[in-house]
Amino acid sequence: MESIAEAMDKVIDREKYAEVTSRILGNVEIKAFIEEHDMQDREIMKSMPKFNEYLRDNEQFKDFSKKLVLNADYAEVVYKETDESISRKKAHSAINRLKAKSLLLDETIKTATFENFNIETDEEQQAFEFAKNLAEFYKNGGQGNSFMSGPAGSGKSHLSMAILKSYLESGEKTALFVSYSHVVRLIKDSFNNRDSVYTQNNIMSLLTNVDLLVMDDIGSENNSDFSEELLTDVLDGRISTIITTNLSSEELRGNANKKGRYNQRTASRMFRGIGGKAFNFKGIKDKRVLPF
């Protein structure tokens, strides 16, 4: 004989089922779906688990949109990854490629973002805003070279890497950050190492086939005919390059009375399409100096 407790459990289960069923069938989207497909009672009851799934939030599918479809004689839930989720994954992959392929002397630059750039002075705020605007310029299809000049440790490299990461947010572009003096050394080392992947041809292909390139610390390399010709060839093969340097524009290209670091042909390639896309960090102290 069934106990009173067992009988009460059945009553509660039936009441709970009726409550859930009423809530599901009272939902505007579910009602519209049933009417659209002229569903019969048997089809509706068979579809109740899927209706419930459709209405229930599921953390596992938070990056997916949901849609009800009629599959034979019952409803089915179809999931499609959102455009936002796809873009986010593409951007993540693009930034990982940036970190993996960039040729850096200072590996800590890989962690640089706009969010972790420390702003303490008006000059640093101006530099930050310049970099943010430059990132938007390139993201919106802008072209031409740009310059960040000023003393070592003032944040040029940090903000340049932050620009590249912002530029890659769409997931549809490619970018690369290289320390130019490091590039020159790697290529020269490859002359005596047949197993090196950093041959001149490979490096040229790497630097000329990305959408946006940062060439960091131009002018710090040991200047030679080779390094200058390489720099000219890279810039000849590009449309948009962000250049950072410790030198002034006059020191780079010279004037009527003094020869610059680079010849006129190389300098003209550097300043091609620059317009107003230049910022001098001269008023910013070395951020790497310890307070003692």
Side-chain angles (χ1 to χ4, degrees), residues 180-181 217-225 227-228 231 245-255 258-264 266-267 270:
Y180 186 61
S181 61
D217 218 6
I218 290 292
S220 67
E221 74 280 3
N222 291 323
N223 204 16
S224 66
D225 290 343
S227 65
E228 189 158 349
L231 178 58
T245 181
N246 296 344
L247 305 178
S248 67
S249 61
E250 189 170 288
E251 289 172 316
L252 288 169
R253 61 186 170 187
N255 56 36
K258 186 178 180 181
K259 184 179 180 181
R261 174 66 182 259
Y262 300 100
N263 63 46
Q264 288 301 308
T266 304
M270 286 186 191

Side-chain angles (χ1 to χ4, degrees), residues 115-169:
E115 289 72 23
N116 60 24
F117 181 73
N118 187 31
I119 300 173
E120 297 179 347
T121 67
D122 290 342
E123 289 83 359
E124 288 168 348
Q125 182 64 44
Q126 292 169 11
F128 178 80
E129 290 174 1
F130 169 81
K132 290 278 283 187
N133 290 335
L134 191 58
E136 289 302 311
F137 171 81
Y138 285 123
K139 285 164 72 174
N140 291 328
Q143 296 181 341
N145 295 343
S146 53
F147 260 88
M148 294 187 191
S149 64
S154 54
K156 304 185 300 295
S157 301
H158 184 121
L159 287 174
S160 295
M161 178 60 84
I163 289 170
L164 295 187
K165 289 181 179 177
S166 177
Y167 176 74
L168 294 173
E169 284 176 355

Side-chain angles (χ1 to χ4, degrees), residues 22-263:
S22 176
R23 175 179 59 80
I24 291 173
L25 296 180
N27 179 270
V28 174
E29 290 183 81
I30 301 299
K31 288 171 68 175
F33 182 83
I34 291 171
E35 291 175 4
E36 178 186 354
H37 296 282
D38 193 24
M39 296 180 70
Q40 304 304 305
D41 288 346
R42 185 182 63 81
E43 295 173 323
I44 294 172
M45 296 312 296
K46 190 175 180 180
S47 299
M48 288 302 291
K50 291 299 181 179
F51 287 155
N52 188 48
E53 177 185 337
Y54 178 78
L55 296 176
R56 188 175 65 244
D57 290 330
N58 190 330
E59 183 67 19
Q60 182 181 354
F61 294 104
K62 62 183 178 64
D63 292 326
F64 291 77
S65 61
K66 293 184 288 188
K67 181 181 180 181
L68 281 171
V69 297
L70 192 65
N71 183 8
D73 60 347
Y74 66 94
E76 184 63 85
V77 183
V78 175
Y79 294 90
K80 181 183 178 183
E81 190 169 10
T82 63
D83 291 340
E84 292 80 4
S85 175
I86 293 171
S87 293
R88 193 163 55 246
K89 287 180 179 178
K90 285 183 177 179
H92 182 71
S93 295
I95 290 172
N96 282 342
R97 286 194 299 273
L98 166 67
K99 292 178 181 178
K101 291 184 176 295
S102 290
L103 303 173
L104 305 169
L105 287 172
D106 180 2
E107 290 288 320
T108 64
I109 293 299
K110 290 182 179 180
T111 65
T113 64
F114 283 128
E115 289 72 23
N116 60 24
F117 181 73
N118 187 31
I119 300 173
E120 297 179 347
T121 67
D122 290 342
E123 289 83 359
E124 288 168 348
Q125 182 64 44
Q126 292 169 11
F128 178 80
E129 290 174 1
F130 169 81
K132 290 278 283 187
N133 290 335
L134 191 58
E136 289 302 311
F137 171 81
Y138 285 123
K139 285 164 72 174
N140 291 328
Q143 296 181 341
N145 295 343
S146 53
F147 260 88
M148 294 187 191
S149 64
S154 54
K156 304 185 300 295
S157 301
H158 184 121
L159 287 174
S160 295
M161 178 60 84
I163 289 170
L164 295 187
K165 289 181 179 177
S166 177
Y167 176 74
L168 294 173
E169 284 176 355
S170 70
E172 303 297 334
K173 300 292 185 178
T174 57
L176 191 69
F177 186 113
V178 299
S179 303
Y180 186 61
S181 61
H182 189 40
V183 166
V184 173
R185 275 195 298 273
L186 287 172
I187 293 176
K188 286 186 173 181
D189 288 345
S190 76
F191 296 158
N192 299 314
N193 180 4
R194 293 183 358 186
D195 296 326
S196 175
V197 297
Y198 300 113
T199 64
Q200 188 169 349
N201 284 341
N202 285 349
I203 292 290
M204 280 295 299
S205 178
L206 186 67
L207 301 191
T208 56
N209 286 319
V210 291
D211 297 310
L212 186 58
L213 173 70
V214 167
M215 297 189 76
D216 191 42
D217 218 6
I218 290 292
S220 67
E221 74 280 3
N222 291 323
N223 204 16
S224 66
D225 290 343
F226 172 78
S227 65
E228 189 158 349
E229 184 177 346
L230 176 68
L231 178 58
T232 306
D233 288 344
V234 170
L235 294 173
D236 265 340
R238 297 200 48 73
I239 296 174
S240 300
T241 304
I242 300 171
I243 297 171
T244 79
T245 181
N246 296 344
L247 305 178
S248 67
S249 61
E250 189 170 288
E251 289 172 316
L252 288 169
R253 61 186 170 187
N255 56 36
N257 301 315
K258 186 178 180 181
K259 184 179 180 181
R261 174 66 182 259
Y262 300 100
N263 63 46

